[in-house]
Amino acid sequence: MSRLLIVGSKEQMGTIVTELYRHDLFHIEDFVDQATPEYEGFKIGMPLAGATEASSELIRLRAAQNAIHIGPDEGDEVQKVSTAMIRSQIARDLPKIEEKAEGLVAKRNALDAQLKEREQRVAELTPFTNVPLDLDLYRDYAAIAPIAGYIVEDVEIPFPHEKYLTGKKGEHFIVVFVEIAHKEETERLLADAGFQPVKIPTEDGAPTEAASRYTQELTSLKGQISTIDQQVESLKAQHATFLMACDEMLSAEVERAEAPLRFATTEKTFVAEGWVPSNKVDAVTSGLMQVTRGSVYVEELPVDLEKDSVPVEYNNPSFAHPTELLMDVYARPDYREVDPTLMMAIVFPLFFGIILGDVGYGLILLVASYALRKVLKGEGASQLLDVFRNACVVAIGFGLLNSEFLGFELPWHPVLFSRALQIGAETGGEGPAAVPLLVLAVWIGLIHITLGRSISIVNHAKMDHGKHRSKAIMAQSGWLAVMWGIVITIWSMFPIPLMPDLSGMGQVLFGLNPAGLIGILMILYGVVAIGQESLLDLMELPTIISHVLSYTRLTAVGLSSVAIAMVVNYIAIGLIIEPQLKALSAVGVVMIIVGIVIFILGHTLNTALGILGGGLNSIRLHYVEFFTKFYKGGGKKYNPFGMKRRFTED
């Protein structure tokens, strides 16, 4: 990134702002009155002419968009039209669309109010439909008080009364008529029995007839609302593209008109500071010179990486772009440090695939990732689904290697290790290769953490200075030395599958062989190297082991998924379906259906657990075990002044 200073006359401000907006490259640094001394006497600028009118039009337009439910991703991206044409259409067509939209919204709101009122009436009448009394018999008494409500159980009333009790035990509806003189005592008796009073409807005639009348009105109202909704959808389909084009044009006008609020100004000049990608500086500069005929001053300012907050724009291959969403959830990288997005784009799907590792589940989730695109809109949702898609493809690949399909074995043996379990007497086999899989997960942890510590050394070399840089680099090398020293020491003591066996060397000192001695020396060096930066960091030494062992979740969670799949298959097929197929009967058909339901529900649950287990554990290994070794983040997002046009062009 390069920092540009732009100085021009106020007469040229509109032209310069338009040119900067067209390039969509200039990240504006906002000016504030309490800025640096060199801006003493400058003030925040005023909006350009037409800002108020454009803002008002945009507010009106968005009210119309909200009325017919047009979201930010609506509209068909057809051939772009000129802003001049859109401007003429706004004056001609927008008032008519607004009028239609407002009329439909008003009608629907009125119908919604009537619908809620009718629903309330039906709810009030429903409990009285089981009482054999007309509604006009509940009122207009001089000496009798009607009481109605819900009660847990019947209660004896020791006064002259008339009582009706309906409903089942625990949810009785009671109606009591008592003399007014005994009303309070009756209500007290009822309250002791858990009485909850209800409002007595002010209707006439039988409750069932009144409830039926309102129910018919509800059906009619719902039909009218459905008709209005169809009209709204029709209006939306007809005008969505036009309204989105208007929104795009007016949004651009408002942003351009309000840009001076971010500049420093005097009576006759203005100053703008901002950031441009270094390889685009010449293009921006030449464009400004051309539109102002050379009457603008542009200077590339020196950048102090220690003090300046340089905005960060990702620069990754296209396949890694979706993973930038996961990076932003954690923190955007600082301008000076290594961007781990590419590494995460590769390793996250690998972790997910290792955990899930089933062709069937991978295919189900892959189809789901494409189906959800019709429901989830927006750039963020698209990026997340792209990450999900990539992870599912890798999971299918590992499923082919593991020879797994919904817990069944494919027609070939696993290429590396079998994750299958022994379930049932007829299954046989040697069970899953748990120990080698766990050791493989530990290897992954060692490599991943080593990569993180190595990147930390690079970051400290780039970002720190003097003694602090030397101490920080030495401390990171110390963490690596301790971790690998522990590993080498363990190798020297006893053999471990898939790891070097260094236990056969002869002892040389204190019962240690040469490998063990090297491991101990590495640990001692590491402790000294870590302590020279901060003695408190030595308290974190146990995390070396816990973080490495944390990667065994790649195996443990994966094995649990396999176990659930195989248990579901054994229960649904082995215990329920297959025995019925040997002697089919009517009961057997029902049991087969039950088995199929269990099979579908079990694998549906396991698919959901696969998403959680694969996704959450993979992201955790990055956020907790990997990023904490080197990543600081805190970078400011590069937000250029401009817009990527979908519908319009100047």
Side-chain angles (χ1 to χ4, degrees), residues 490-502:
I490 293 174
W491 290 346
S492 71
M493 293 179 179
F494 38 80
I496 300 175
L498 302 181
M499 287 190 171
D501 182 8
L502 305 179

Side-chain angles (χ1 to χ4, degrees), residues 84 416 521:
L416 297 176
L521 292 175

Side-chain angles (χ1 to χ4, degrees), residues 138-146 162 176-181 183:
Y138 287 87
R139 58 182 183 272
D140 299 332
Y141 296 111
I144 297 177
E162 184 176 345
V176 181
F177 294 87
V178 297
E179 296 179 3
I180 292 178
K183 179 183 178 182

Side-chain angles (χ1 to χ4, degrees), residues 369-399:
S369 72
Y370 283 101
L372 288 172
R373 293 176 190 276
K374 298 180 180 180
V375 180
L376 303 177
K377 303 292 184 180
E379 183 180 1
S382 177
Q383 287 181 293
L384 183 61
L385 291 174
D386 284 345
V387 173
F388 189 40
R389 175 203 61 202
N390 297 342
C392 292
V393 170
V394 177
I396 293 171
F398 275 100

Side-chain angles (χ1 to χ4, degrees), residues 168-186:
K168 59 184 180 180
K169 185 177 181 180
E171 297 179 2
H172 292 301
F173 182 74
I174 188 171
V175 174
V176 181
F177 294 87
V178 297
E179 296 179 3
I180 292 178
H182 302 299
K183 179 183 178 182
E184 290 186 5
E185 295 181 49
T186 302

